[in-house]
Amino acid sequence: KTQYGLGEDMLKDILGVQLYSEKLGEYLGEEQGIKVSKKAAVKAYNKAPENYDNRTVSHILVTPEVADGRTAETDENGSTIYTDEEWAAAEAKAKDLIAQLDDGADFAELAKENSDDTASAANGGALDGSFTRADSSYVEEFTTASFALTEKGQYTEEPVKSTYGYHIILCTGIQDKDHDYDKLIKSIRKDLLAEKQQEAFN
C-alpha cells in the first residue's frame, strides 16, 4: 500500500483518471478554439496583482528559550508565553546573526547552525515553493516582511517578530512587474487556459 493507504491498482486508476481529464480538457480546448491572450493575462494581473506577485524565501528562526527553573505557560492558541527577558535574549541573538550577515557570513550556513526551524535549517533555511500575499500560509508579520524585500539576495535588516520567535528572512526569488514580469504573464496565461479547459471538460 502507498502512504495514503491506497492499493497500487487503485492509485493507478486515480492517476489515470486525472491524466485523462487533463488530456480531454486540452483536446476540448483545441476543438473549441479556447485560447487566452497575453492581453487577457495582463488584465487579470492588473486587476489583482496580489494574487500573482510572489516571493521565494529562506529564513532563520530564533525562538526564545525558557529560563532554567521556570515553568512556562501557554496562551489560548497553544503558544508558549515567554518573559520580556527571554524575548530580549532571542532578539539579541537574531541581531547578532544579522550583523554576521552584514560582515559577509553565508546565510545557509548560519541557518544550518542557528535556526530553530529544524526542517528548513537542514536546507540552509530554504522554504518550499513561492507564495503570493493572497495564498501565503505564513503568519502576517512574516508575509509582510517577505514582500517588503524588493531584490533577490536582500534580507531583513531588523529581526521580524512573530508568535514563533524572531525571523531573519532572505529573498531568494521574486516575480512581479519589476522582476521576471514576462515569465509571470506566461504562467498566468497557462493557469487561465487550464481553468477554461477545465470548464470545457466539466
Side-chain angles (χ1 to χ4, degrees), residues 10-123:
M10 178 66 78
L11 185 60
K12 285 180 178 178
D13 287 343
I14 292 172
L15 293 175
V17 169
Q18 289 178 344
L19 184 59
Y20 178 78
S21 66
E22 289 175 13
K23 293 298 181 184
L24 184 55
E26 291 173 7
Y27 170 78
L28 291 171
E30 292 177 5
E31 183 183 61
Q32 298 176 20
I34 295 174
K35 295 179 181 178
V36 174
S37 67
K38 180 178 179 180
K39 185 177 180 180
V42 170
K43 183 177 180 180
Y45 174 85
N46 290 335
K47 185 178 180 181
E50 68 276 6
N51 291 335
Y52 303 106
D53 289 343
N54 63 69
R55 297 289 187 278
T56 307
V57 302
S58 295
H59 84 138
I60 299 171
L61 173 64
V62 180
T63 301
E65 295 183 6
V66 177
D68 290 341
R70 187 178 82 85
T71 301
E73 298 181 354
T74 57
D75 61 20
E76 64 276 9
N77 297 316
S79 299
T80 302
I81 299 174
Y82 299 104
T83 65
D84 291 344
E85 291 77 12
E86 290 163 352
W87 276 111
E91 183 180 20
K93 180 179 178 180
K95 286 185 174 181
D96 177 66
L97 292 173
I98 290 175
Q100 292 182 52
L101 290 171
D102 291 341
D103 288 337
D106 182 73
F107 191 97
E109 288 303 315
L110 284 184
K112 288 177 182 177
E113 296 168 4
N114 297 279
S115 182
D116 291 314
D117 178 1
T118 54
S120 67
N123 296 317

Side-chain angles (χ1 to χ4, degrees), residues 155-177:
Y155 53 85
T156 48
E157 295 179 359
E158 292 292 331
V160 178
K161 186 178 182 181
S162 78
T163 55
Y164 298 100
Y166 283 97
H167 307 265
I168 304 164
I169 306 168
L170 169 70
C171 178
T172 58
I174 175 171
Q175 279 190 315
D176 60 21
K177 269 212 162 178

